[in-house]
Amino acid sequence: MSGTSSVGWIDIVVILAYLLATGYLGWLGYRGTRSAADFLVGGRSAHPIIMAVSYGATFISTAAIVGFGGVAGLFGMSLLWLTFLNIGVGILIAFTVLGEPTRRLGHHLGAHTFPELLGLRYQSRGIQIFAGALIFLFMPLYSAAVMTGGSIFAATQFGIDFEVALLLFAVVTAAYVIPGGLKAVMYTDTLQGFIMVFAMIFLLVFTYSSLGGITEAHQYLTDMADLVPAPLQQMGHQGWTAMPAFGWGAPTYDLWWIVITSIILGVGIGVLAQPQLIVRFMTVRSRRELDRAVPIGAVFIMLMTGTPFLVGSLSNAWFAQHGPILHGKVVSQIDPAKDRALVELMKKTDSGDWTTIISPKTNKPATAPMIVSERTQAQAASGETFELVGGRSTAITYVKGDSDQIIPTFITSALPRWFGVVFFLALLAAAMSTMSSQFHTIGTAAGRDLYERIGDKGQAREPSILVMRLAIVLGLLIAVTISYTVRQDYIIARFTAIFFGLCAASFLPAYVGGLFFRRVTKAGALASMTVGMSVSLFWLLLIKAKEASAIGLVQWITGGKTSLLADYPNWPSVDPIIVALPAALLTLILVSAITRPPDAEHLRQCFPERKP
Amino acid sequence: MLGIDDPLVLTAYFGIIAMAVLSLIYGLIRRNAARDELTPEDRQWALEEKKVDDEI
């Protein structure tokens, strides 16, 4: 389905106009008047819309839109729970509970990065270095997810190879983030945010109207439950408008554990411990600014994640109604009354007869559930005559099982050509606003939290701009390399979930404990971070089958198994966050309870507004 | 309802709208509730932040 478009001159003009507008706003910011810090220095307040949309544009990226939208196309509307958490946790709890204490503590201690905030709060150089190293090492994984999402869309939209799209995307990213985009220019983020809002509203309205309305669209998708591919049914997929089957102890519950623990909880909770988002709270002028940003942030996130999750799911209905006609021969009936059948897919050869399509994944004939709409007699390559059926299938069939392709393929197939360009700009905007924050965080982690803190004999060094810039370039190269080499099932969502889960398990107890509880000690925080990270990495390397099998260590240890717990159903599908976060929290409490309380004078400096 | 039979998915669908409405109400109620004060400490922090930004 991909590769049918090409780059036209209108596309180039529109994209160049957008890049020029972004560049102009970035230049205005570079002149020193429009960053979040400039607002504070000038004693002024950023408009709540600017603050909220800027935060949201950093939060939401191509990973959410292309990656998780595609996962919704694969697994269905159960992903709407992630949108629910994105608003409830990522906006409401983050802004109303964590925002102001983070801002105050950061300003009291003079912290400018997340590792520095933790390090100063706990009076520990080790904690700052630990957090800085973890960010520097693993943030490129998340950047790779963002880059892959943008590149897949560009490749599909403009009919170019993924590798070419990735190279172009990397060049644009470097051009944007290295000279000017790193300044977190709020007006640029806001322009990008508005483009994203327009694209999402249009996409949602178009999708519902092309399927006959909200209820009609949902009902059609509900009635397609019997078209769920067999491998997904065997994992517990019960249709695109239903939750996966819930239970424990059988492979038929695997999907529930994947969707709920990895996709929904990992990302839904992990957002609270995202370093690039936490530092945003420190750039806010006051609690009032945070309060005013809540409604705009909530509506923005609702559109940015709710739309792709709904559209991803509904793309199955659209392809079943309007997708290109596929051909093949019936293998078995699914529902004869509705003319639905499992079909072995075939293509016409140059000589005019029909041959079976071989799946490159399985090396067996490709089969797909189909709504049959036509039947004719045809001749196979062997010369025999058979009944050739034609019909439509789900989005999953059209993208050959690659969920990362679902949103790009739907946009290029269903929507007007001009919208594809606008949507590409929205994705570019989403990617740039997120990546500028990511690389800013990577740069400061390397320069400020690692290089400056790992001085000779424990003495802090002078800040090194060169180290920060080298770290950014290195981070970019690592992200591009990961994007180029790793192409697997719903990899965008998995990379994102890994990073979010790792941050949650490693940072969340120490961060929240540091904001609200005086009794949490340096030893407690460091032990909690160590346990959170170690359990997460252990689980990813040896237990979680999808990740562990891709890395390969577990096969080497067990002689071919994909998980240490491969013989215990559902365990290999459970996300590390389910084990690592409680373990880290428990460690924080226990170690803090048995170690000496922090210095009272230091606590007064951290929390001067609280009574002792 | 709305063509979605699973009550949990339907709860998520309406829960998203409810959460957005709750956020709107929160924003309206708290619009001027908190103090909007820029302390010398805040300004000092911003000056340092700007220096870091400019350097990078």
Side-chain angles (χ1 to χ4, degrees):
Chain A
M1 282 290 302
S2 63
T4 53
S5 315
S6 60
V7 186
W9 66 270
I10 294 178
D11 304 350
I12 294 171
V13 168
V14 173
I15 293 166
L16 280 179
Y18 161 76
L19 289 176
L20 283 174
T22 308
Y24 176 69
L25 288 173
W27 178 70
L28 282 182
Y30 212 66
R31 289 168 65 202
T33 52
R34 292 291 180 269
S35 78
D38 295 325
F39 277 106
L40 276 184
V41 171
R44 288 170 296 128
S45 180
H47 194 281
I49 290 182
I50 291 177
M51 195 267 154
V53 173
S54 168
Y55 178 91
T58 306
F59 181 177
I60 300 301
S61 67
T62 47
I65 299 167
V66 175
F68 286 79
V71 170
L74 198 61
F75 298 152
M77 289 190 186
S78 51
L79 255 79
L80 290 178
W81 281 107
L82 178 55
T83 302
F84 180 82
L85 285 189
N86 285 155
I87 303 172
V89 176
I91 296 293
L92 259 181
I93 291 180
F95 276 55
T96 63
V97 179
L98 302 181
E100 173 65 1
T102 304
R103 189 189 73 82
R104 275 204 312 255
L105 186 64
H107 289 198
H108 292 329
L109 299 177
H112 293 271
T113 67
F114 176 63
E116 196 175 26
L117 180 76
L118 289 179
L120 291 173
R121 164 63 181 86
Y122 292 112
Q123 297 178 290
S124 167
R125 204 165 59 104
I127 285 180
Q128 185 176 353
I129 292 169
F130 183 110
L134 198 141
I135 292 166
F136 179 69
L137 288 175
F138 290 98
M139 183 76 94
L141 206 60
Y142 182 26
S143 307
V146 177
M147 225 174 240
T148 302
S151 303
I152 287 178
F153 187 85
T156 310
Q157 171 69 22
F158 301 116
I160 54 179
D161 288 338
F162 172 78
E163 290 75 13
V164 175
L166 178 63
L167 183 68
L168 290 173
F169 211 80
V171 169
V172 172
T173 305
Y176 180 71
V177 300
I178 292 173
L182 284 173
K183 210 176 170 194
V185 180
M186 295 181 88
Y187 282 175
T188 318
D189 281 355
T190 309
L191 167 77
Q192 292 168 337
F194 281 125
I195 294 172
M196 290 156 72
V197 166
F198 168 76
M200 289 302 157
I201 291 175
F202 185 90
L203 180 60
L204 188 65
V205 171
F206 178 92
T207 305
Y208 272 133
S209 64
S210 69
L211 292 169
I214 294 174
T215 303
E216 291 76 6
H218 294 162
Q219 191 60 57
Y220 192 87
L221 194 61
T222 301
D223 295 340
M224 284 174 60
D226 54 359
L227 294 177
V228 172
L232 288 175
Q233 284 187 25
Q234 286 153 16
M235 294 169 70
H237 199 313
Q238 304 189 109
W240 287 276
T241 60
M243 296 294 289
F246 170 66
W248 182 261
T252 47
Y253 305 129
D254 274 346
L255 189 60
W256 192 93
W257 290 95
I258 291 170
V259 169
I260 302 299
T261 65
S262 287
I263 307 286
I264 296 177
L265 287 181
V267 178
I269 295 174
V271 69
L272 291 178
Q274 285 296 294
Q276 74 280 16
L277 295 179
I278 290 168
V279 292
R280 289 248 160 189
F281 294 134
M282 293 194 265
T283 63
V284 171
R285 174 188 159 99
S286 67
R287 164 116 212 180
R288 185 184 290 183
E289 211 174 89
L290 284 167
D291 285 342
R292 289 181 176 189
V294 165
I296 303 145
V299 172
F300 184 81
I301 297 298
M302 180 175 76
L303 284 171
M304 288 306 116
T305 63
T307 298
F309 299 170
L310 281 172
V311 169
S313 302
L314 289 169
S315 66
N316 290 291
W318 189 90
F319 278 104
Q321 287 183 15
H322 309 288
I325 297 286
L326 303 170
H327 294 93
K329 62 182 172 189
V330 173
V331 176
S332 61
Q333 293 291 338
I334 295 172
D335 184 347
K338 293 180 181 170
D339 226 353
R340 294 177 180 187
L342 183 68
V343 172
E344 190 177 287
L345 297 174
M346 303 181 85
K347 63 182 175 187
K348 204 171 191 177
T349 62
D350 293 340
S351 55
D353 44 32
W354 291 84
T355 181
T356 302
I357 297 172
I358 301 297
S359 164
K361 277 186 184 172
T362 59
N363 273 331
K364 291 176 182 171
T367 57
M370 185 185 282
I371 302 171
V372 177
S373 56
E374 55 190 57
R375 292 170 189 273
T376 51
Q377 291 297 311
Q379 195 173 35
S382 59
E384 64 174 310
T385 306
F386 68 99
E387 186 188 51
L388 181 76
V389 296
R392 297 185 172 93
S393 187
T394 64
I396 300 169
T397 303
Y398 288 97
V399 299
K400 302 180 181 73
D402 181 359
S403 72
D404 291 341
Q405 294 275 2
I406 289 178
I407 294 288
T409 305
F410 175 69
I411 302 282
T412 49
S413 306
L415 283 109
R417 168 85 182 160
W418 66 265
F419 181 77
V421 180
V422 172
F423 196 79
F424 173 71
L425 293 182
L427 287 184
L428 202 60
M432 292 308 145
S433 50
T434 303
M435 290 178 94
S436 61
S437 286
Q438 288 174 336
F439 286 112
H440 187 281
T441 309
I442 289 172
T444 52
R448 201 172 169 98
D449 301 317
L450 292 177
Y451 179 79
E452 286 180 32
R453 304 310 296 171
I454 308 175
D456 291 338
K457 297 172 187 170
Q459 299 300 309
R461 295 177 189 170
E462 283 301 303
S464 172
I465 304 309
L466 184 64
V467 171
M468 286 192 200
R469 290 199 172 145
L470 281 177
I472 290 166
V473 173
L474 186 63
L476 191 62
L477 287 175
I478 294 171
V480 172
T481 307
I482 295 171
S483 283
Y484 180 75
T485 41
V486 187
R487 302 284 306 120
Q488 294 179 354
D489 297 344
Y490 55 99
I491 196 70
I492 301 171
R494 279 165 55 205
F495 276 165
T496 308
I498 289 172
F499 182 70
F500 274 53
L502 193 59
C503 284
S506 307
F507 299 144
L508 196 55
Y511 167 51
V512 174
L515 289 183
F516 297 107
F517 302 100
R518 293 158 175 253
R519 188 61 183 80
V520 177
T521 65
K522 174 166 76 175
L526 191 55
S528 163
M529 290 167 70
T530 309
V531 166
M533 187 193 72
S534 305
V535 173
S536 293
L537 292 181
F538 169 81
W539 207 265
L540 287 170
L541 283 172
L542 299 171
I543 306 291
K544 184 118 190 288
K546 204 112 188 157
E547 279 71 26
S549 61
I551 295 162
L553 179 65
V554 70
Q555 289 99 320
W556 184 70
I557 292 174
T558 61
K561 289 182 180 176
T562 56
S563 167
L564 284 183
L565 300 177
D567 299 330
Y568 301 90
N570 303 133
W571 277 113
S573 299
V574 172
D575 194 78
I577 196 172
I578 297 297
V579 182
L581 183 57
L585 180 62
L586 199 63
T587 306
L588 184 87
I589 295 168
L590 291 178
V591 176
S592 293
I594 58 169
T595 46
R596 202 157 56 89
D599 175 45
E601 182 55 38
H602 174 66
L603 288 176
R604 269 194 291 279
Q605 191 196 345
C606 293
F607 311 108
E609 53 285 308
R610 287 193 211 171
K611 289 177 184 168
Chain B
M1 190 188 277
L2 282 183
I4 297 172
D5 297 340
D6 190 320
L8 282 173
V9 173
L10 209 55
T11 307
Y13 195 94
F14 286 118
I16 290 167
I17 297 167
M19 203 56 87
V21 171
L22 185 69
S23 302
L24 285 170
I25 294 169
Y26 175 88
L28 282 175
I29 292 174
R30 295 274 311 169
R31 191 169 170 72
N32 293 312
R35 288 174 63 188
D36 185 28
E37 185 187 26
L38 190 70
T39 64
E41 184 186 70
D42 294 336
R43 196 182 292 264
Q44 182 57 38
W45 182 91
L47 281 168
E48 285 169 23
E49 175 74 4
K50 193 168 151 51
K51 188 166 162 265
V52 175
D53 270 354
D54 287 344
E55 279 174 350
I56 207 169

